[in-house]
Amino acid sequence: MSKKKFIQRDISWLSFNARVLQEANDPSVSLKQRIRFLGIFSNNTDEFFRVRVATLKRMVEFSAKRKVLNMHMEEHPQKILDEIHTIVLQQQNEFNRIWEGILEELKQEKIFLVDESHLNDEQLTFVKKYFDDTVRVNVIPLMIESLPQMPYLRDKSIYLGVVMRKKNSAYQQKYALIEVPAKAVGRFVLLPSKNNEKNIMLLEDVIRVNLPNIFSLFEYDYFSAHVFKVTKDAEIDIDNDVSTTFVEKIEKGLKNRRKGKPVRFVYDKEMDAGLLEYLIRRLNLNRKSNIIPGGRIHNFRHFMDFPNVFSHNTEKRKPFTHPALANSLRVTDVIVKQDIILNFPYHSFNTVIDFLREAAIDPDVRSIKITAYRLAPKSKIINALINAARNGKEVVVMLELKARFDEEANLEWKKVLEEEEGIKVLLGVPRMKIHAKLCIIKKRIKNKIIQYGFVSTGNLNEDTAKVYGDMCLFTANRNVMADINRIFRYLENWKLNTNPLKACKTLLVCPTNMRNEINALINKEIRNAKAGKQAGITIKLNSLSDVLLIEKLYDAAAAGVKIQLIVRGIFCAKMDFGKMSKHAKAISIVDEYLEHARVMIFENENKPKIYLSSADWMVRNLDHRVEAAIPVFDEHLKQEIIDIINIQLSDNVKARILDSELLNEYVPHNGKKLIHSQIETYFYLHKKTEQQIEISSN
């Protein structure tokens, strides 16, 4: 990959996370949301180290051993790691600066984070009682000096490193570790407060208060405790033992993940120097282990759920029913007559759940087939499918066990569906993830078979649907249903061959025809531009890193094709390469909702071809996953999508310019009307519902 033509993907991702940090720094964003964005930034960074930094470290290791990895190899992984380390430290400094400012704003709202040294008598009594009643049973001190091996440290946990001794002596001190049981207890404790104040204490500080009690056996009178956390390589190595089942391999991989090598060690810079040195030595860390000094608080991901103690609570815009469904008792009755698109989180996700519940009790429904990638912890989708099976329907669920960080949850769902309910569960294809979001329902009315379902850009997860911007196209189109059947035929018999995928005629499907079809669509726009015809390509994605497709966009720009790109995350194209700066525009929108939909619009001589897709333009999606893109045929739906995309392209409040310098500058409004695309989209869609209700009432 020529460095001149592309931005390195990991550096581009860090630029995306910087945009998240910008939201935390934006005074126009509510205080609660700004704290939430700090949590998102922290969680993003953790996953980046667990996955990408760990992968780069593997590349360095294997390059040194001259081994060949079954993966894309970066040219200079160590150089990339060095650049990452520099950027991450800069971002952490900015994070700390923003957090200090937010703490001051919290004080102005009379909201205080109270530590162990600032408790009044009433609060001290409360904290000791709270510890005894709620926390103590979850605290297990580890006397690490007496252990021959360093105990297993959980990846997502924070630990208190404790030093204890007599005040009048620096000798005979002991070290201990305590895992802060935030998952079991919760990170935030609301303290008794007066004068309209809100006092909040972090769980680690509750433990600090009670250290003399915890370690009373030793009769020490001096305690020092500071937080640290370890981030580990999260890659799952699946062995090639033919005697084990795929599920057993996943389970073994999850167990081995516990043994992942540390890729980052973050600690409170005030930590006792002796303890810090001891931990670094026992954890086998070195200068290349991303040892990062930080502030007093770590694992800010918990701050995504900061207590709702704010006096100025802004009412969130509530989702509403799609206008086509506003006066219908049954979702199914509408879908068999017309295509509809749900836009989450503006439209209610309850429609999807109702759609499956209807099928579950409909005596004419014979089967439901559906793909599941990431599900809600208490999934209503699963409940509907179980209900369908209990009502005698054939239910087939494609459950992707390789969905990163959801492997354990999906193994549990497999057990519930397969072992407890007798539902047929498909477990995917080796060396390939099933990322397509599909559903097909078959019903027989008299002697006629009717099929209907949906193709979505996002997961079937009612929790994330509240904050993820996705599109879901419901249809009874026979050609689409035929292709969904072909995909399930492949998933049920993948050992035979990929012929069912190759036979798809309407959906664009990975890994068989989507890449070639996208190339053909771009080539047509290039031909039109060269012939002097109107030519344009508008693409909305989460990530754009596929070199071959980026080069194809460069070719299109060179031919004079108007290119408009909305890319939330990774963006590896250089906007100053060739004629991109003249003919292409690229923005990223980071806002309250996570922009997750993938949309492709090709001008096609003023007869737009539009696709909704589950696939980003990345090698992993296009060549190593089963993905699906559905064409939009209905002219009204096409116009709706174009309108929404145009609203986003006009955003001058939350849109940043994507450039080769990674400056993340906001799109200037230059005195124009302010367009906040997520708010404008809400009102655009809501107006359609209001109009439908008005028409119906008349």
Side-chain angles (χ1 to χ4, degrees):
M1 189 193 297
S2 168
K3 189 175 179 182
K4 295 179 182 177
K5 292 171 67 174
F6 309 99
I7 299 167
Q8 202 280 325
R9 62 166 283 180
D10 298 302
I11 304 306
S12 172
W13 185 91
L14 287 171
S15 182
F16 152 67
N17 214 25
R19 296 193 282 277
V20 175
L21 205 51
Q22 283 180 323
E23 286 299 292
N25 194 42
D26 185 345
S28 71
V29 176
S30 71
L31 203 48
K32 187 178 192 311
Q33 282 283 59
R34 289 168 64 192
I35 294 170
R36 175 174 164 265
F37 276 112
L38 286 181
I40 293 170
F41 172 87
S42 177
N43 191 58
N44 285 351
T45 305
D46 285 348
E47 291 199 5
F48 178 72
F49 271 86
R50 295 178 76 193
V51 179
R52 288 304 305 169
V53 171
T55 299
L56 287 164
K57 283 178 172 288
R58 285 180 176 219
M59 290 180 189
V60 171
E61 182 182 330
F62 279 84
S63 296
K65 295 177 180 177
R66 299 185 181 276
K67 288 186 177 181
V68 178
L69 272 175
N70 184 26
M71 63 188 297
H72 164 74
M73 282 290 289
E74 298 288 352
E75 287 182 20
H76 305 290
Q78 186 56 57
K79 191 174 180 181
I80 296 168
L81 283 170
D82 293 342
E83 190 172 354
I84 286 170
H85 187 68
T86 300
I87 295 170
V88 167
L89 284 176
Q90 292 170 345
Q91 290 185 346
Q92 190 60 46
N93 288 335
E94 176 68 356
F95 180 100
N96 293 339
R97 184 194 67 78
I98 293 169
W99 173 237
E100 289 301 318
I102 285 176
L103 281 174
E104 289 303 313
E105 291 185 52
L106 286 171
K107 289 177 184 176
Q108 292 172 19
E109 293 239 355
K110 293 192 173 183
I111 299 168
F112 300 92
L113 278 182
V114 180
D115 64 27
E116 70 280 8
S117 60
H118 292 87
L119 295 171
N120 60 37
D121 291 342
E122 182 187 8
Q123 290 170 338
L124 181 60
T125 301
F126 173 87
V127 166
K128 288 183 176 180
K129 186 176 188 307
Y130 179 80
F131 178 83
D132 285 337
D133 293 346
T134 308
V135 182
R136 180 186 290 278
V137 293
N138 295 288
V139 169
I140 303 172
L142 300 172
M143 308 307 296
I144 49 178
E145 291 172 285
S146 61
L147 298 175
Q149 286 189 324
M150 193 68 172
Y152 163 68
L153 301 183
R154 297 178 196 273
D155 199 10
K156 292 187 176 182
S157 293
I158 49 173
Y159 290 84
L160 278 171
V162 182
V163 180
M164 46 192 146
R165 63 171 183 265
K166 291 284 188 181
K167 283 181 181 177
N168 58 4
S169 173
Y171 299 104
Q172 294 182 330
Q173 66 180 20
K174 285 189 180 294
Y175 296 150
L177 298 186
I178 295 175
E179 180 180 358
V180 178
K183 187 175 181 180
V185 179
R187 187 80 181 276
F188 304 99
V189 181
L190 294 176
L191 302 178
S193 306
K194 296 176 181 177
N195 303 321
N196 296 321
E197 291 182 358
K198 302 287 173 49
N199 290 282
I200 302 168
M201 194 171 208
L202 294 175
L203 183 58
E204 56 264 37
D205 291 331
V206 170
I207 295 171
R208 282 185 173 105
V209 170
N210 289 278
L211 288 175
N213 187 356
I214 295 169
F215 296 105
S216 58
L217 174 70
F218 300 106
E219 298 183 348
Y220 289 118
D221 55 9
Y222 171 86
F223 296 90
S224 166
H226 295 86
V227 168
F228 72 90
K229 70 175 179 179
V230 178
T231 309
K232 297 179 181 178
D233 183 341
E235 192 61 49
I236 287 185
D237 292 316
I238 300 178
D239 63 45
N240 296 314
D241 184 354
V242 294
S243 67
T244 57
T245 67
F246 183 57
V247 171
E248 288 170 337
K249 289 175 182 179
I250 291 287
E251 289 172 336
K252 183 177 179 183
L254 287 169
K255 289 176 183 175
N256 288 337
R257 180 185 272 173
R258 291 165 55 101
K259 305 171 187 174
K261 293 181 180 178
V263 292
R264 184 177 59 154
F265 177 83
V266 187
Y267 66 97
D268 183 344
K269 61 182 179 295
E270 301 298 325
M271 178 181 282
D272 176 88
L275 175 59
L276 176 62
E277 184 181 340
Y278 178 82
L279 289 173
I280 289 172
R281 187 174 73 252
R282 290 293 302 270
L283 290 168
N284 297 315
L285 303 174
N286 55 47
R287 68 178 188 84
K288 291 184 178 180
S289 300
N290 288 296
I291 300 171
I292 301 173
R296 179 182 171 93
I297 302 172
H298 296 295
N299 259 27
F300 261 83
R301 66 187 179 87
H302 295 124
F303 282 64
M304 288 191 277
D305 300 310
F306 193 81
N308 196 7
V309 292
F310 301 90
S311 54
H312 306 291
N313 284 329
T314 53
E315 187 70 26
K316 284 191 77 169
R317 296 177 295 279
K318 293 181 179 178
F320 47 87
T321 303
H322 187 283
L325 305 168
N327 297 297
S328 175
L329 292 176
R330 285 167 48 91
V331 178
T332 306
D333 294 342
V334 176
I335 291 164
V336 295
K337 294 176 184 176
Q338 69 178 86
D339 291 359
I340 67 167
I341 292 177
L342 296 181
N343 283 272
F344 308 123
Y346 312 103
H347 290 135
S348 173
F349 191 80
N350 286 341
T351 298
V352 180
I353 298 164
D354 291 342
F355 172 75
L356 292 171
R357 283 175 174 165
E358 287 174 13
I361 61 173
D362 187 338
D364 295 324
V365 166
R366 296 291 181 264
S367 69
I368 303 172
K369 295 186 178 182
I370 196 166
T371 59
Y373 193 73
R374 299 189 194 279
L375 295 159
K378 298 177 180 178
S379 175
K380 294 176 182 177
I381 297 288
I382 292 293
N383 288 342
L385 296 173
I386 289 172
N387 193 25
R390 290 176 179 176
N391 277 307
K393 320 300 182 191
E394 178 198 2
V395 178
V396 177
V397 181
M398 169 58 236
L399 199 59
E400 180 49 81
L401 295 187
K402 299 188 293 295
R404 182 175 277 128
F405 305 133
D406 275 80
E407 301 97 344
E408 290 179 80
N410 285 354
L411 280 170
E412 285 299 313
W413 285 126
K414 174 190 176 296
K415 181 180 177 182
V416 170
L417 291 170
E418 198 172 52
E419 298 177 21
E420 297 178 17
E421 301 295 337
I423 290 172
K424 183 176 181 180
V425 176
L426 307 177
L427 299 177
V429 181
R431 296 180 294 280
M432 191 177 294
K433 285 186 180 180
I434 315 305
H435 195 247
K437 284 45 178 194
L438 308 169
C439 176
I440 183 166
I441 295 172
K442 291 183 185 179
K443 65 188 294 185
R444 180 186 290 274
I445 301 178
K446 295 181 180 178
N447 292 321
K448 186 179 179 183
I449 293 289
I450 296 174
Q451 299 184 89
Y452 53 97
F454 60 75
V455 178
S456 181
T457 67
N459 299 314
L460 303 181
N461 184 318
E462 58 268 26
D463 291 347
T464 58
K466 295 172 185 174
V467 289
Y468 277 36
D470 273 304
M471 295 183 180
C472 182
L473 175 52
F474 285 83
T475 184
N477 181 286
R478 290 184 179 182
N479 295 327
V480 170
M481 294 302 109
D483 279 356
I484 295 179
N485 275 318
R486 290 181 178 109
I487 294 172
F488 274 100
R489 200 173 305 136
Y490 167 73
L491 296 177
E492 292 179 75
N493 302 281
W494 57 265
K495 290 182 180 179
L496 298 178
N497 51 50
T498 58
N499 286 345
L501 297 185
K502 292 176 181 176
C504 290
K505 299 173 183 176
T506 303
L507 297 180
L508 306 187
V509 179
C510 299
T512 48
N513 74 344
M514 191 184 295
R515 180 187 287 279
N516 289 339
E517 290 296 328
I518 291 172
N519 270 311
L521 289 161
I522 296 174
N523 282 334
K524 185 173 183 182
E525 297 303 318
I526 291 173
R527 289 195 300 272
N528 288 341
K530 288 180 176 178
K533 299 176 182 177
Q534 188 171 333
I537 299 169
T538 301
I539 307 294
K540 180 183 178 184
L541 300 164
N542 292 328
S543 297
L544 172 61
S545 65
D546 186 89
V547 168
L548 296 177
L549 287 181
I550 291 173
E551 287 182 326
K552 185 60 71 173
L553 290 177
Y554 290 162
D555 293 343
V561 178
K562 181 183 178 183
I563 298 170
Q564 300 179 107
L565 303 170
I566 306 172
V567 183
R568 173 175 54 84
I570 297 168
F571 183 77
C572 295
K574 286 209 167 184
M575 297 305 290
D576 58 0
F577 183 81
K579 291 191 177 180
M580 289 291 279
S581 59
K582 182 178 180 181
H583 295 296
K585 167 188 176 180
I587 61 169
S588 174
I589 297 171
V590 177
D591 199 356
E592 180 181 359
Y593 304 139
L594 183 109
E595 295 291 344
H596 194 251
R598 292 89 163 183
V599 182
M600 299 182 286
I601 305 174
F602 301 92
E603 189 69 34
N604 191 39
E605 298 184 62
N606 231 12
K607 297 176 183 176
K609 285 193 173 184
I610 301 178
Y611 295 85
L612 305 181
S613 177
S614 61
D616 285 309
W617 285 14
M618 304 178 79
V619 171
R620 73 180 189 192
N621 296 74
L622 297 169
D623 299 335
H624 304 292
R625 292 185 175 186
V626 174
E627 305 267 16
I630 184 171
V632 181
F633 296 115
D634 184 281
E635 294 300 323
H636 294 292
L637 295 184
K638 281 186 178 182
Q639 190 57 54
E640 181 173 292
I641 291 170
I642 290 170
D643 289 346
I644 290 171
I645 293 297
N646 283 337
I647 289 171
Q648 294 181 345
L649 288 167
S650 302
D651 192 308
N652 54 16
V653 175
K654 291 299 182 181
R656 283 78 158 175
I657 299 166
L658 293 173
D659 57 27
S660 303
E661 289 75 38
L662 307 179
L663 297 177
N664 283 332
E665 292 181 343
Y666 286 88
V667 171
H669 49 81
N670 295 329
K672 296 179 182 177
K673 176 188 173 184
L674 294 180
I675 305 293
H676 189 162
S677 61
Q678 291 189 354
I679 293 175
E680 294 293 330
T681 301
Y682 177 89
F683 287 119
Y684 168 83
L685 292 168
H686 194 266
K687 187 176 181 180
K688 290 195 168 195
T689 297
E690 289 178 331
Q691 288 171 342
Q692 182 62 40
I693 293 171
E694 188 176 333
I695 290 169
S696 300
S697 62
N698 292 333

